[in-house]
Amino acid sequence: MSNTKGRIAILTSGGDAPGMNAAIRAVVRAGIAKNYEVYGVVHGYNGILNREIKKLDFKDVSEKIQHGGTFLFTARSSEFRPMEGKMKAAEICHELGIEHLVVIGGDGSFTGAKNLSKFGVNIIGLPGTIDLDIAYTEYTIGFDTAVNTAMEAIDKLRETSNSHDRCSVVEVMGRSAGYIALWCGIANGAEEILLPEKFDYDYERLFAQIKRNKEAGMTHQIIVNAEGVGHSYELAERIEAATGIETRATVLGHVQRGGTPTARDRYYASIMGAYAVDIIDQGKKSRLVGYKNGKVYDVDIMEAFAMTKSIDEYEYTVAETLANRPSLDS
Ligand code: F6P
């Protein structure tokens, strides 16, 4: 290690997201270019505790950028969650000479990272989640691919719904956030978009609207339902019972997390990975890398946690305006 500037380790944590491999590749290659030794931690925080840590070379990250998932594997670690877990992880990092840890994950992963940084490991976070639910950033690695996967599936669903004059309830992921649902709702021209942040749970109004749509000549309808609203199978049964329209539910599920990352996900994951190494090299500590107003930037981890995020009012209004449905009042 004497000739290098130090050791950077990298891990992926929480749900995998397409583009994570591009980010790992960028950290490894930018790190080596800046004269750091770079180590990959396998299976998220568990990999630190179990010492599943391997040195990564320039070539170890070849042929990875085009694949979804994460070649370092990921986990939601229950062992790491208590403070003792974090202390032990920090001790292992100190023992192995790992000064900097790049964590690619979502909010849950950053909560762990924030506490680890208190024990003297320099944490740099990259936002990796299909949910887009991280407040400090307008972009998260994997969201673009997931939305495109869901959009293509819903296009297919529309064809079969159309052929059968059916109503289709399609549930998309997002945990308690409605970003994938909002994007698909607009991109797929859905007749209804149910978001946990916006839906008033007035099912009678929803059923009346679906009936009204049918009476106005809509032979089929697509209801995009966010995971945070959920209960799609039950909802389909209720729609059929209330409206008399044959209705099916489709839960897209984990298929949204896989697949070839889009150019956008590869591009920004790569830029963010390289940026993470740059800020390490500048001596910055405990930072999260994000994307705001068209630029990659970094923010203090504590400041980032104080931020909140909500569905953009204007975009939601547009979604409502464009939904292909006659008004109840007309
Ligand atoms: O955070 C990503 C995500 O795919 C969410 O959209 C979803 O709620 C959750 O992870 C599913 O988690 P698991 O893979 O543990 O079932």
Side-chain angles (χ1 to χ4, degrees), residues 8-59:
I8 300 173
I10 179 161
L11 61 80
T12 46
S13 170
D16 63 321
M20 281 181 163
N21 284 328
I24 299 165
R25 172 179 177 271
V27 171
V28 171
R29 294 201 169 172
I32 292 169
K34 285 217 156 25
N35 207 21
Y36 289 88
E37 284 183 8
V38 186
Y39 289 79
V41 182
V42 182
H43 293 123
Y45 291 114
N46 280 344
I48 303 180
L49 298 173
N50 301 329
R51 295 170 187 265
E52 280 187 276
I53 301 170
K54 56 183 182 189
K55 192 164 178 215
L56 293 174
D57 213 339
F58 204 82
K59 262 184 67 219

Side-chain angles (χ1 to χ4, degrees), residues 15 76 129-131 173-175 227 254 257:
R76 295 194 168 100
T129 169
I130 64 162
D131 299 338
M173 272 189 170
R175 203 180 290 276
E227 178 185 6
H254 288 83
R257 286 229 302 255

Side-chain angles (χ1 to χ4, degrees), residues 71-86:
F71 81 93
L72 288 178
F73 300 90
T74 184
R76 295 194 168 100
S77 172
S78 51
E79 252 188 282
F80 178 75
R81 216 159 285 142
M83 217 32 104
E84 305 83 69
K86 289 171 184 105

